[in-house]
Amino acid sequence: MNEQKPIHYFVCSKGSDSLGLTNATEDNTIVEYFDSEEDVDLAKFAEIVKTKPNCNQKHFIVYRGDDYCAVETDNVQNIYVFSSILRYQVLPKLVAGTETIDTLIDGDRNLENKLAKPDRQPGFKLRDSSGEIIPDGIKFALQILRDREEELDGEDEDEPEGLSKEELFYCNKDWVGVNSYMDDGKDYFLCAQESNYVSFECETIDDIVYLKHDGGYFYFDIDNKSSGIFIGKAVPTKEQRVQIHYTNDGDICLTAWGGRVYVACNWVKSAYGVVGIYGSTTPMKLRIHM
């Protein structure tokens, strides 16, 4: 039984299909809908929340179909905006009271200030962990290295029976995948999956190396301030680019172009996660396998 008070959502009806609440009771939420942007009145929403003592009185959520806005009930000017990908990371902290809007804002600001800005090297070439250059158009997989990879290095795991040599290689490892269940016309985004990989490649344009999948380019959706990495048909603008960096052991990690904060994986479940920028000081290490 969930003893925490539910958080109150105000949802634009046009974005209700993408809210992702299959059962409001199970997700511990109260949901009310508004028709359009003109109906957004934070002061009015706060008064509605105050009349419902059985819901969370400190914060409420406004969802317009893209990003979430966490709003402080007693000070509606105090707002923390986060992407839908970060929903399961931010909301539990607000509901449990382990974080406030102020601490979330300060955490983002402090992290951005304290991280060194990675340099971009001229003549950059994509290489695997052994130093071999990856030519444009060559297919490869991206393995996500978690702590367990270091712990299990050199150890034998129980191998499932009946698999080919190639299938055994990919089994029991974490791989960058592509979330392709979306049917609303939006571009796919990167995810993480255990034992299930997809193929990527690179393309060099004007001395810039772009990561690609199925003809589409990795990019950040800066217009919607989303944290995830998406795949789209257009060559990304400078502001949308994903920048590649090498770790000391030859693996790679990613940032936004010229950014300080590394791409990480938000593990929603033990075998599934979403790849994006989540304020991580530790880069998600990726190993290239051709």
Side-chain angles (χ1 to χ4, degrees):
M1 180 179 179
N2 194 337
E3 296 181 356
Q4 293 176 335
K5 291 185 177 181
I7 198 161
H8 202 302
Y9 277 71
F10 295 93
V11 178
C12 182
S13 56
K14 69 178 182 180
S16 59
D17 290 341
S18 59
L19 181 59
L21 294 176
T22 56
N23 185 310
T25 302
E26 290 178 359
D27 286 322
N28 201 29
T29 58
I30 297 173
V31 181
E32 291 188 28
Y33 297 93
F34 57 90
D35 292 328
S36 65
E37 191 72 23
E38 289 74 22
D39 297 322
V40 176
D41 185 333
L42 298 182
K44 179 181 177 181
F45 291 169
E47 291 304 314
I48 292 174
V49 172
K50 291 177 182 178
T51 65
K52 300 180 179 181
N54 291 327
C55 73
N56 187 301
Q57 294 287 293
K58 294 182 179 180
H59 316 97
F60 60 90
I61 303 296
V62 178
Y63 182 71
R64 295 178 171 91
D66 294 312
D67 288 335
Y68 290 75
C69 296
V71 185
E72 186 177 328
T73 307
D74 291 331
N75 178 14
V76 295
Q77 301 300 316
N78 201 20
I79 301 172
Y80 181 71
V81 180
F82 57 99
S83 71
S84 58
I85 295 174
L86 282 178
R87 170 187 164 197
Y88 290 106
Q89 181 174 333
V90 172
L91 288 178
K93 295 177 181 178
L94 289 175
V95 172
T98 57
E99 295 274 12
T100 66
I101 289 175
D102 287 330
T103 59
L104 288 168
I105 293 173
D106 289 343
D108 286 357
R109 185 184 299 117
N110 292 336
L111 182 63
E112 182 70 18
N113 290 336
K114 76 179 182 180
L115 291 179
K117 185 176 181 179
D119 295 326
R120 177 177 180 265
Q121 301 298 322
F124 181 92
K125 299 292 184 182
L126 185 63
R127 302 173 184 269
D128 64 17
S129 58
S130 66
E132 293 292 323
I133 293 178
I134 311 293
D136 288 2
I138 297 298
K139 304 294 185 183
F140 56 84
L142 291 172
Q143 180 190 359
I144 301 172
L145 300 179
R146 288 209 264 179
D147 291 341
R148 69 179 188 182
E149 266 70 40
E150 299 177 3
E151 295 170 358
L152 295 171
D153 190 23
E155 298 183 12
D156 292 330
E157 289 187 278
D158 293 334
E159 296 182 345
E161 297 180 358
L163 298 182
S164 67
K165 184 177 180 181
E166 180 181 10
E167 289 171 331
L168 284 173
F169 174 79
Y170 291 103
C171 188
N172 295 322
K173 296 183 179 72
D174 299 314
W175 301 93
V176 176
V178 176
N179 188 309
S180 57
Y181 73 84
M182 303 169 73
D183 58 3
D184 55 5
K186 294 182 179 179
D187 290 337
Y188 299 157
F189 58 85
L190 296 188
C191 65
Q193 298 173 318
E194 182 180 347
S195 305
N196 188 14
Y197 77 99
V198 298
S199 295
F200 301 99
E201 60 186 274
C202 66
E203 180 180 353
T204 306
I205 304 175
D206 296 331
D207 201 32
I208 305 295
V209 177
Y210 297 91
L211 295 173
K212 301 180 65 178
H213 168 71
D214 195 26
Y217 299 85
F218 288 22
Y219 76 94
F220 287 103
D221 188 358
I222 58 172
D223 292 334
N224 291 319
K225 300 180 181 178
S226 177
S227 302
I229 295 180
F230 293 80
I231 299 173
K233 297 300 182 183
V235 176
T237 64
K238 181 178 181 180
E239 292 76 14
Q240 294 175 318
R241 290 175 191 160
V242 175
Q243 189 165 344
I244 307 167
H245 309 272
Y246 289 111
T247 63
N248 292 333
D249 49 11
D251 297 311
I252 66 171
C253 54
L254 308 174
T255 66
W257 191 258
R260 293 179 173 88
V261 183
Y262 289 99
V263 168
C265 181
N266 180 24
W267 291 98
V268 180
K269 300 178 180 179
S270 61
Y272 178 83
V274 181
V275 174
I277 291 179
Y278 307 115
S280 175
T281 57
T282 303
M284 177 182 67
K285 294 170 62 175
L286 301 174
R287 181 162 295 171
I288 296 173
H289 293 280
M290 289 189 290

